[in-house]
Amino acid sequence: MKTYFGKTFGSVLLVAGTSTGAGMLALPLITGSAGFFYAFLFFILCFLFMLLSLFFLMEANLLSLNANANLITMVKERLGPFGQGVAWVSFLFLLYSVAAAYLLGGGSLISDLLSIGFQRDISQYIGVLIFLLTFGLIVVFGTRVIDIINRYCMIGLGLSFLILIIFIVPHLNWHLYREGAPKYLFAAVPVVVLSFTSHIIVPSLRKYLRSDVHKLKMALFWGSCLPLLFYLTWVFLIVGTLPLKGPYGLETVAAAPHPIAALTHALNIVAKNPFISLLVGLFSFFALLTSFLGVSLSLYDFLADGFHIKKTVLGRTKLLLLMFAVPISFALFYPQGFILALGYAGVFVAILYGILPALMVWHGRYIEKKEERFRVLGGKTFLILMLVGSLIIIFLQLADTIGWLHYLCDFF
C-alpha cells in the first residue's frame, strides 16, 4: 500500500514537473506587458482549458484496451491512418521543439555557471552538450528511476522558490502592478497553453499506475494545480520587481538573445543582491530539469512504441539518437530560438492535446458507442469548446508569425 501511494504521489510530481519547465521561465516576459491582474485571469482561463483537455486525453487513453498504448496507437484505433499521420508529425515537432527549448535554457544556465566558476566566457554550446550528456541519458533507466530523481528535483525547485520569495518580496514595487494593457495577452496564448501541458506523460502514467482511474484523476488534477500556484507566484514576483521598460525591464529581457540569463542578470541588478541571482539560477535549473525529464521519458516511450524498437542496448542507442539529433541541432545552430521554439510548440499542443483527444472521445462516445471506464462531464458542448479553443490557439500563433497579430492588438 505504501508503495502504491508512493507511486501516486510520485505521479503527481511527475505531472507537475513536466508542466513546470521552460515555459514558466518565459511567462513573466510574455505576460508582464499585460499587467498582473489581467495576467492572473488569463492564467486561470488557460489552466481550466488545459485541465479539460488533459481529462479528455485520459478518457481517450482509457478507451484503448492496450494499457501500453501511446498516442500513436490511440489515434490509430479511433481516427485511422490519417489521424495517425497527423499525430506523428505533430508529436515529433512538439517534443523536438520543447526539447530544443529546454536544451537551450539548461545550456545557458550551465554555461553561465561555468563562466562564473572559471572566470572566463564559456560557450553556450558547451553548456548545451553538458546538459544533454548529463541528464538526457537518464531516460534509459525507465519511469521508476526518473520518478525518484524528479522527486529530489521538485524538492530543490520548491525550496529554491520559497527562499527566492523571501528575498524578492522586500523589493516589490507595488505601482508596477498597475502597468500594462490586456491586449498584449494575444501573443502569449501559445506559450501559456504550453506551460500547462503535462499531457505527454499520460500514457506512461497509465501504465505506471496500472490503469487505476481514481489514482490517475488524482495525479492529473493535483499535478496540474501545483504549476498554477508556481506560475501565479512567479509572475507576481517578477512583474512586481522589474519595470516594463528600461535597460533591465521585461521588454528588454524578453528581446535578449538569452532571455533566462538576461532575467537573472536584471534581477541581480535591480535587487542589488547577488544571492538572488543564484536562487533564480537554481530555481530555473530545477524547473527546466523536471520538465526535461518528463519530456524525455515521453519521447522515449513514444518512439519505442511508434517504431517498435525493443529496449535492448542497440535499441536504446537508436532511441537516443532519434530523440536528440534534431533538438541538439536546433539548439547548437539557432541558440537565440528559446521563445520561438516555445511558441511553435504551443501550436502542436493545440493539435495533439486539444483537437485529437476531442475527436477521439467524440468517435469513441458517439460513433463507436464504446463502454467507458471514465467520461468527462459536459457532453458535446465541452468537446466543441475544446475544438474551437484549439483552433483559436493555432490562429494566434500563425497570426503572430506572419505579422498580423499587432493589427489584432491595435483593434482591441
Side-chain angles (χ1 to χ4, degrees):
M1 186 66 181
K2 287 183 179 179
T3 301
Y4 199 65
F5 172 79
K7 280 189 173 184
T8 307
F9 177 71
S11 297
V12 170
L13 296 183
L14 279 172
V15 172
T18 303
S19 293
T20 311
M24 178 176 182
L25 306 176
L27 292 180
L29 307 181
I30 61 172
T31 62
S33 56
F36 179 74
F37 174 74
Y38 292 106
F40 175 86
L41 297 178
F42 181 61
F43 279 121
I44 298 297
L45 179 63
C46 289
F47 164 75
L48 293 174
F49 180 81
M50 293 307 291
L51 185 64
L52 179 63
S53 71
L54 187 62
F55 281 114
F56 275 137
L57 182 65
M58 175 182 164
E59 180 179 342
N61 184 257
L62 290 170
L63 286 172
S64 177
L65 298 177
N66 180 6
N68 296 318
N70 213 304
L71 187 68
I72 294 300
T73 303
M74 293 160 51
V75 175
K76 183 179 180 180
E77 289 178 353
R78 302 278 84 79
L79 303 178
F82 178 76
Q84 182 185 25
V86 172
W88 255 108
V89 174
S90 300
F91 198 88
L92 284 177
F93 271 105
L94 168 64
L95 291 190
Y96 282 156
S97 299
V98 174
Y102 293 170
L103 287 173
L104 284 166
S108 176
L109 290 170
I110 289 177
S111 62
D112 288 343
L113 180 63
L114 292 176
S115 297
I116 294 172
F118 289 102
Q119 297 184 342
R120 56 179 297 183
D121 288 336
I122 302 297
S123 171
Q124 187 182 8
Y125 300 134
I126 296 176
V128 168
L129 292 174
I130 292 175
F131 186 82
L132 174 63
L133 294 175
T134 304
F135 302 108
L137 302 182
I138 295 174
V139 71
V140 301
F141 296 105
T143 306
R144 183 58 184 165
V145 173
I146 290 179
D147 178 3
I148 294 171
I149 295 172
N150 184 74
R151 294 186 193 202
Y152 287 106
C153 289
M154 288 297 291
I155 292 172
L157 178 69
L159 288 176
S160 59
F161 193 52
L162 288 174
I163 300 172
L164 184 62
I165 291 174
I166 295 172
F167 275 85
I168 285 185
V169 165
H171 299 281
L172 294 180
N173 192 337
W174 298 104
H175 84 270
L176 294 177
Y177 293 108
R178 296 193 293 269
E179 294 185 347
K183 64 181 182 180
Y184 296 116
L185 289 175
F186 287 113
V189 170
V191 177
V192 175
V193 164
L194 175 65
S195 300
F196 286 107
T197 303
S198 56
H199 303 53
I200 53 179
I201 206 166
V202 169
S204 299
L205 287 185
R206 178 190 174 182
K207 179 170 58 176
Y208 191 48
L209 295 176
R210 302 177 184 177
S211 301
D212 188 303
V213 173
H214 177 69
K215 301 294 184 182
L216 278 168
K217 288 194 295 184
M218 293 290 289
L220 296 181
F221 177 75
W222 292 112
S224 299
C225 288
L226 284 175
L228 175 64
L229 179 62
F230 271 131
Y231 297 160
L232 291 176
T233 308
W234 174 242
V235 174
F236 178 80
L237 293 174
I238 300 303
V239 170
T241 305
L242 299 181
L244 184 59
K245 300 182 182 295
Y248 303 109
L250 290 171
E251 292 182 353
T252 303
V253 171
H258 307 303
I260 296 177
L263 177 62
T264 303
H265 180 65
L267 286 171
N268 186 25
I269 296 297
V270 172
K272 298 178 181 179
N273 188 339
F275 192 59
I276 289 180
S277 177
L278 174 63
L279 287 171
V280 172
L282 285 173
F283 169 68
S284 302
F285 178 76
F286 285 124
L288 282 164
L289 184 55
T290 53
S291 195
F292 181 72
L293 291 174
V295 167
S296 298
L297 174 62
S298 301
L299 183 56
Y300 187 72
D301 287 342
F302 171 80
L303 292 172
D305 177 55
F307 286 114
H308 305 290
I309 298 176
K310 294 182 179 180
K311 295 177 181 178
T312 60
V313 174
L314 179 60
R316 288 172 178 171
T317 303
K318 292 179 180 178
L319 287 171
L320 290 172
L321 289 173
L322 288 171
M323 286 171 63
F324 294 122
V326 173
I328 194 65
S329 298
F330 181 87
L332 292 177
F333 295 106
Y334 193 63
Q336 68 271 33
F338 178 74
I339 292 180
L340 178 66
L342 293 178
Y344 278 106
V347 171
F348 300 117
V349 164
I351 296 172
L352 282 169
Y353 301 127
I355 294 175
L356 291 182
L359 293 178
M360 285 190 285
V361 169
W362 189 293
H363 196 278
R365 283 185 191 176
Y366 306 117
I367 298 177
E368 296 180 72
K369 301 187 184 299
K370 289 181 67 68
E371 182 179 350
E372 297 174 291
R373 286 175 283 176
F374 170 72
R375 173 179 283 216
V376 179
L377 298 176
K380 293 181 180 179
T381 301
F382 276 16
L383 285 168
I384 293 172
L385 180 65
M386 181 58 53
L387 290 170
V388 172
S390 300
L391 291 174
I392 290 174
I393 293 168
I394 295 171
F395 167 76
L396 290 174
Q397 179 59 49
L398 294 178
D400 188 29
T401 302
I402 60 181
W404 291 354
L405 194 59
H406 69 278
Y407 295 114
L408 183 63
C409 292
D410 292 340
F411 177 79
F412 284 91

